Amino acid sequence: MRLGLALGYWGRGPSPDHVRLAQEAERLGYDSVWTAESWGSDAFTPLTWIAAHTSRIRLGTAVAQMAARSPVTTAMHALTLDHLSGGRVLLGLGLSGPQVVEGWYGRPFPASPLTATREYVDVVRQVLRREAPVELAGRFHAHPYRGPDATGLGKPLKPITHPLSADLPVLLGAEGPKNVAQTTRIADGWLPLYWSPTRPEVYGPALAELPEGFMVAPMAQVRVCDDVAEGLLPVKVMLGFYIGGMGHAARNFHADLMARMGYEEEARRIQRLFLDGRREEAVRAVPDAFADEISLVGPRERIAERLESWRKGPVTDLLALAPDPHSLRVLADLVSR
């Protein structure tokens, strides 16, 4: 099982620790470092900055939001950074949800998310392979564009720049069973949002026969500490926000996933509290058991014991949301044994 460092996206401003953590992860033998985006900082610029201050560690987006860019624009970002970093890019993509897609990006949420994702990946791969001009008569991504307001002058094009890696890995953030099943067919890897090593059945039968070399790379909060309850508090804060506020009350993919993982009543309670403005109560309503099973928190011995269940399943890469160098070092030592 390889290790990655997940840095997420910025809050109010950039963290002064991210480059230092990435350098420490590289020194410790971590395979990858990952950035994200929501509706603030973008995923690619911080990753480029990290690339300039490291030399070996692979550089992933977990995730770059599809609604933020056309597929050819995303491919341009990836191939540019791949050249500048010497072939270290892992392109993780996610569709997000209606609240963000329509509220922030000002675009319609696709009526058929699976089709939209499939077309997006198709176009990205065409750009990166550079075998022919990009063409797709897609429902959501048409190249050239031939809509009713088109000039009719659009011409299929190949990228001017020759991509460094024609087979640059594409990973998808997917939560529903059908989306996960499609991911195993069209992508090189999967980025689970919440992974419980004791509940693989939640994601359906798609994980039973994975393609050779397919990456399964979940994120998990990793914190070495004496007080488990205190260590879980950041996890509960994150879950309170995602379950309660990262989506509409009637359509929240994160809440739906928590419900499928056996916590339906708790998920709906968190939503109600958060949407009523009672955010602290929403955080307290997150069950410690749920926060714990998707994390690696506590004393070194406890983490070592729980890590065994992560090793036994399909996980190929553990992306550690580790807030401090000590936790990074302990995890690296445990995994290397």
Side-chain angles (χ1 to χ4, degrees), residues 205-222:
L207 302 183
E209 296 183 12
L210 295 174
E212 185 176 353
F214 189 84
M215 293 176 64
V216 177
M219 289 189 219
Q221 182 78 239
V222 178

Side-chain angles (χ1 to χ4, degrees), residues 15-335:
S15 169
D17 298 328
H18 280 183
V19 168
R20 178 174 59 88
L21 285 170
Q23 291 173 328
E24 178 66 1
E26 181 173 70
R27 187 188 71 78
L28 291 167
Y30 278 59
D31 179 74
S32 56
V33 57
W34 302 75
T35 57
E37 61 190 9
S38 54
W39 51 89
S41 61
D42 77 279
F44 289 100
T45 308
L47 208 58
T48 304
W49 187 249
I50 290 168
H53 290 82
T54 55
S55 59
R56 176 198 58 78
I57 197 165
R58 293 200 288 176
L59 309 158
T61 56
V63 294
Q65 295 184 333
M66 289 185 247
R69 306 164 189 85
S70 71
V72 294
T73 308
T74 294
M76 289 166 65
H77 277 297
L79 74 85
T80 302
L81 180 54
D82 203 44
H83 268 290
L84 293 174
S85 66
R88 292 192 274 155
V89 171
L90 299 159
L91 180 59
L93 303 170
L95 195 59
S96 193
Q99 192 173 52
V100 174
V101 173
E102 297 182 359
W104 179 247
Y105 294 115
R107 299 171 56 84
F109 188 77
S112 177
L114 293 180
T115 301
T117 299
R118 190 165 57 249
E119 292 178 3
Y120 199 103
V121 172
D122 187 340
V123 173
V124 167
R125 290 205 189 276
Q126 286 191 53
V127 173
L128 294 175
R129 288 170 180 161
R130 202 178 178 273
E131 296 171 345
V134 176
E135 288 194 81
L136 181 68
R139 176 180 173 187
F140 299 99
H141 301 287
H143 293 266
Y145 176 68
R146 296 189 175 93
D149 55 346
T151 64
L153 302 177
K155 176 184 177 182
L157 299 169
K158 285 200 298 187
I160 297 170
T161 305
H162 290 232
L164 182 64
S165 308
D167 56 351
L168 187 151
V170 176
L171 299 90
L172 294 174
E175 296 182 38
K178 290 182 180 179
N179 201 352
V180 174
Q182 174 173 270
T183 297
T184 65
R185 296 193 301 270
I186 69 172
D188 302 298
W190 172 43
L191 296 161
L193 181 61
Y194 311 135
W195 174 260
S196 171
T198 62
R199 301 176 192 264
E201 73 283 353
V202 169
Y203 300 100
L207 302 183
E209 296 183 12
L210 295 174
E212 185 176 353
F214 189 84
M215 293 176 64
V216 177
M219 289 189 219
Q221 182 78 239
V222 178
R223 186 183 293 265
V224 180
C225 59
D226 294 327
D227 189 328
V228 174
E230 182 181 340
L232 288 175
L233 186 57
V235 186
K236 295 178 67 169
V237 170
M238 177 272 293
L239 287 169
F241 175 63
Y242 272 73
I243 303 301
M246 192 72 88
H248 191 270
R251 196 169 189 185
N252 183 317
F253 302 133
H254 311 305
D256 293 344
L257 175 57
M258 182 178 174
R260 289 197 301 275
M261 295 178 78
Y263 297 92
E264 181 168 9
E265 183 177 339
E266 294 88 341
R268 304 313 169 198
R269 173 171 166 74
I270 294 165
Q271 279 189 294
R272 289 194 300 270
L273 289 169
F274 194 95
L275 295 174
D276 285 344
R278 299 154 66 184
R279 297 191 175 191
E280 291 185 8
E281 290 182 64
V283 171
R284 290 197 298 270
V286 176
D288 282 2
F290 180 56
D292 196 25
E293 69 179 270
I294 64 172
S295 309
L296 288 164
V297 171
R300 177 191 175 101
E301 296 75 18
R302 185 177 194 266
I303 292 176
E305 180 182 347
R306 294 169 62 83
L307 193 58
E308 290 309 307
S309 62
W310 291 74
R311 293 177 187 267
K312 293 176 182 177
V315 173
T316 61
D317 297 74
L318 172 58
L319 310 186
L321 286 157
D324 62 275
H326 176 61
S327 295
L328 285 180
R329 288 191 289 270
V330 169
L331 184 62
D333 183 53
L334 293 175
V335 169

